[in-house]
Amino acid sequence: MWEQRVTEVWGRLDELSEEDFRAAVDDAVRDAPEAVAVFERAGAFDSTGHPDQAVPLYREALDLGLTGERRRRAVIQMASSLRNLGQPEIAVELLAAEQDAGSDHLDDAVRAFLALALADVGREREAVSVALAALAPHLPRYQRSVGNYARALLD
C-alpha cells in the first residue's frame, strides 16, 4: 500500500509546492521500511533542489541496508548530488564502484552520471568513451564501430 502512495506522490511532483511535496512523501512512507523511507525523503529533497540535504539522507539509507533497485538509485542520485555540490571526485569513485557492482536496467544511468562526473574532474576523453560505450548498443547501425571508437579513446 505504501508503494502505491509513494508512486502517486511522485506523480504529483510538479503540482505541489516543495514543502507540500516533501510533506506528502513523508506521509506516503510512514509505513515503509526505514531505509526505504529515508531514501524517498532524500529523493524528495533532491528533486526540490536541496542536494545538500539529500546527500546525508542517501548515506543514511545505504547505512540502514537499503537493497535492490533503490540501493542502486541511491548511489546514482547521491553521486549526482555530490557532483552538483562540487565533489565530482567522490561521484566518480561511487559510480565507478557501482559500475562494477553488477548489471541491470540502470547500467546506462550509472554510465551517464559517471561520464558527467569524469568530465568535471578533467577526464573528458574517458567521459566520452563511457558515454559512447553506453550509447553504442542502442544504435540501429554502427554499434561495433562506435564501441571500438569508445575503447580507442582510452588508448
Side-chain angles (χ1 to χ4, degrees), residues 125 128-130 132-133 136 142-155:
R125 288 183 69 85
V128 171
S129 175
V130 168
L132 287 175
Y142 313 111
Q143 293 174 349
R144 185 171 179 269
S145 295
V146 171
N148 287 336
Y149 287 135
R151 287 185 290 282
L153 283 168
L154 299 178
D155 292 338

Side-chain angles (χ1 to χ4, degrees), residues 62 65-74 98 104-106:
L62 292 166
L66 190 65
T67 62
E69 180 179 320
R70 280 190 172 95
R71 186 209 60 79
R72 195 156 206 218
R73 287 175 47 208
E98 191 59 34
D104 64 14
H105 67 283
L106 293 173

